[in-house]
Amino acid sequence: IMMTENSKPTNWMPWAIAGALLGAAFTFMIGSVFGVVGFMFSREANNAYKSGNIIDAETKNYSAKKMTLLSLYISALGIISFILYTLI
């Protein structure tokens, strides 16, 4: 989806923070690395949007989305394995 001048990109920062925290708790820091990278890309996307650089904001936002979702997926696998380990 292409952004126009008036559309603001999705802010992935809260999700990146959640992914980093969950990754630190359940995946021995593996998921948290992707969460931190997602946070950094999200911050850069927000700054690019504020400065009016829509193309750069869109590119950084896409990278933030990928890293954040990867962090959340890895964290979900860690949570599932933790639950299975405690049940067995």
Side-chain angles (χ1 to χ4, degrees):
I1 298 174
M2 296 297 292
M3 293 183 344
T4 62
E5 291 289 329
N6 296 330
S7 65
K8 186 174 181 181
T10 303
N11 187 0
W12 288 97
M13 196 171 294
W15 292 105
I17 293 170
L21 293 175
L22 290 172
F26 292 103
T27 64
F28 302 106
M29 302 302 281
I30 295 169
S32 112
V33 170
F34 293 108
V36 169
V37 173
F39 175 83
M40 293 169 66
F41 275 123
S42 177
R43 187 184 66 203
E44 290 176 8
N46 291 340
N47 290 338
Y49 176 76
K50 287 177 187 174
S51 68
N53 190 349
I54 302 300
I55 302 297
D56 192 36
E58 186 176 302
T59 304
K60 302 286 186 188
N61 194 48
Y62 181 70
S63 297
K65 178 181 177 181
K66 286 192 306 187
M67 292 294 115
T68 300
L69 290 177
L70 186 57
S71 172
L72 291 171
Y73 292 146
I74 292 171
S75 297
L77 290 175
I79 291 168
I80 290 169
S81 65
F82 176 76
I83 291 170
L84 290 176
Y85 179 75
T86 57
L87 291 177
I88 296 176

